């Protein structure tokens, strides 16, 4: 069976002080999740833990600094994959040596459909 994308939710998150890319990524994913209700899965008899494939893409300026395992662990259901890519935004306050990190998240849900 082919996996078809049935849901795409977008979110943004930030860490305004401290430059924590994982914290910003986690907030972006939670923002995306709070835009969505997956009630159709139950209506279709789909087991969200074993039949739902969740693909998370996080955009930040320094993707190597995102703990993708922590992001993966934050999702409540599905077979989850996470990748961090170049994107998002760093807003650097040079006077204070502070970095505000802004992350973008795309959370796609795929189901195996005949």
């Amino acid at each position: 069976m082919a996996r078809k994308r049935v849901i795409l939710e977008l979110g943004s998150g930030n860490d305004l002080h401290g430059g924590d890319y994982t914290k910003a990524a986690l907030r972006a994913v939670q923002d995306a999740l709070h835009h969505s209700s997956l009630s159709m899965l139950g209506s279709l008899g789909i087991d969200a833990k074993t039949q739902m494939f969740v693909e998370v893409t996080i955009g930040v300026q320094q993707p190597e600094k995102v703990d993708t395992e922590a992001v993966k662990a934050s999702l409540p259901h599905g077979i989850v994959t996470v990748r961090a890519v170049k994107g998002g935004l760093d807003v650097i306050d040079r006077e204070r040596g502070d970095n505000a990190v802004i992350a973008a998240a795309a959370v796609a849900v795929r189901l195996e459909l005949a």
Side-chain angles (χ1 to χ4, degrees):
M1 287 195 268
R3 289 184 189 161
K4 304 276 187 182
R5 186 174 74 191
V6 295
I7 297 169
L8 176 64
E9 289 293 348
L10 307 174
S12 64
N14 62 69
D15 181 28
L16 292 178
H17 303 285
D20 188 326
Y21 291 86
T22 299
K23 184 185 285 187
L26 288 166
R27 288 175 174 171
V29 168
Q30 289 304 307
D31 182 50
L33 293 180
H34 286 97
H35 291 270
S36 188
S37 172
L38 302 178
S39 58
M40 71 149 187
L41 297 177
S43 298
L44 296 173
I46 293 168
D47 180 354
K49 292 184 188 279
T50 62
Q51 294 177 297
M52 182 174 78
F53 300 87
V54 182
E55 301 168 351
V56 178
T57 304
I58 302 292
V60 291
Q61 283 294 296
Q62 296 185 47
E64 68 281 359
K65 291 188 176 181
V66 175
D67 181 347
T68 56
E69 289 301 313
V71 174
K72 181 177 178 178
S74 75
L75 281 106
H77 303 294
I79 299 166
V80 180
T81 58
V82 177
R83 70 186 178 112
V85 300
K86 183 86 168 170
L89 184 65
D90 282 355
V91 181
I92 300 169
D93 181 346
R94 297 191 197 294
E95 292 173 5
R96 294 193 172 110
D98 199 12
N99 183 21
V101 174
I102 303 170
V107 180
V109 174
R110 294 184 183 274
L111 302 176
E112 289 187 350
L113 303 171

